[in-house]
Amino acid sequence: MSDKPSTAGTGNPAQPENAAGNGKAPSLKVLAQYIKDLSFENPKAPQSLTQKDKNPNISINVNVNANPIAGSDYDVILTLNAEAKTGEDVLFNVELIYGGVFRVEGFPQEHMLPLLFIECPRLLFPFARQIISDATRNGGFPPLLIEPIDFAQMFAQRMAEEQAKGNVQAPAVTN
C-alpha cells in the first residue's frame, strides 16, 4: 500500500487530474474590482459631530449577489449598509456597493455557488471594509471598522431560506 495520493487518470503524477475531470487546473482570478455606488449621509451635521456623550447604535446589513457576465467570468456584488443612530436621530448612513469581476475555471458545477457566494466576497471584503472606514472617518466620525463576516454562514442561511420558500434550487449561476 502506498502513502502517495492517487493521480490515476492523468498519466503524469506531477499533474493530478482536477475534480472536474477536464484536465484543467481549477483557478479563481480577480480581473477587476470597482465601486459601483458609494453614499455617505450626515443629516444632522454639524450637531451630530459634537454629540459624544454616548455611543450610537450601529446596524450593519450585508448582501451578496453574483451574475454571469460571459463565459467563465462573473460579476460578484457585495453590498454593505451601515447606519448609526442615537435614539431616533440618524448620525450617519453609509452605503457601499462594491463589485469584483472574477474568472472561475476548472471547478465542478457543484462548487460554483460556494465559490461565488463565499470565496469571492471574502476576497472583496477587506477592500470594502477599508472604504467604509475611510468614508466614516472623512465624514467626521471615528472610523467604522466592520468585524470580519462569515460568508459561509451567510450562504448556508440563504440556502436554508431558499429551501424553506420551496425553491429547492439555489440562484441560477451557470458556468
Side-chain angles (χ1 to χ4, degrees), residues 33 46 56 127 130 137 149 173:
Q33 291 180 228
F127 301 97
Q130 185 64 49
R137 186 190 69 234
I149 296 170
V173 176

Side-chain angles (χ1 to χ4, degrees), residues 90-110:
V90 175
L91 296 178
F92 69 79
N93 189 4
V94 61
E95 177 186 23
L96 173 64
I97 301 174
Y98 192 72
V101 178
F102 294 85
R103 180 161 293 150
V104 182
E105 297 177 310
F107 286 94
Q109 188 62 35
E110 64 269 14

Side-chain angles (χ1 to χ4, degrees), residues 15-89:
Q15 295 180 339
E17 189 172 7
N18 77 333
N22 61 11
K24 193 177 192 181
S27 70
L28 173 64
K29 296 177 185 170
V30 181
L31 302 179
Q33 291 180 228
Y34 61 93
I35 295 174
K36 187 168 188 168
D37 185 26
L38 174 60
S39 171
F40 181 86
E41 298 173 19
N42 187 352
K44 301 279 186 188
Q47 291 81 11
S48 61
L49 302 173
T50 60
Q51 298 175 352
K52 308 275 188 200
D53 52 341
K54 61 181 179 176
N55 289 332
N57 293 323
I58 299 176
S59 63
I60 299 172
N61 295 311
V62 180
N63 193 24
V64 177
N65 281 309
N67 298 301
I69 297 175
S72 59
D73 295 350
Y74 296 87
D75 184 32
V76 177
I77 302 291
L78 178 59
T79 303
L80 298 167
N81 291 305
E83 183 180 63
K85 286 184 168 184
T86 54
E88 291 299 314
D89 292 335

Side-chain angles (χ1 to χ4, degrees), residues 93-154:
N93 189 4
V94 61
E95 177 186 23
L96 173 64
I97 301 174
Y98 192 72
V101 178
F102 294 85
R103 180 161 293 150
V104 182
E105 297 177 310
F107 286 94
Q109 188 62 35
E110 64 269 14
H111 293 175
M112 291 303 291
L113 286 176
L115 276 169
L116 294 172
F117 287 88
I118 299 170
E119 289 307 312
C120 292
R122 185 183 61 77
L123 293 170
L124 294 174
F125 177 73
F127 301 97
R129 179 181 191 247
Q130 185 64 49
I131 293 166
I132 295 284
S133 173
D134 290 347
T136 55
R137 186 190 69 234
N138 292 339
F141 297 95
L144 176 60
L145 300 174
I146 300 173
E147 293 290 325
I149 296 170
D150 185 352
F151 289 103
Q153 188 259 342
M154 271 183 62

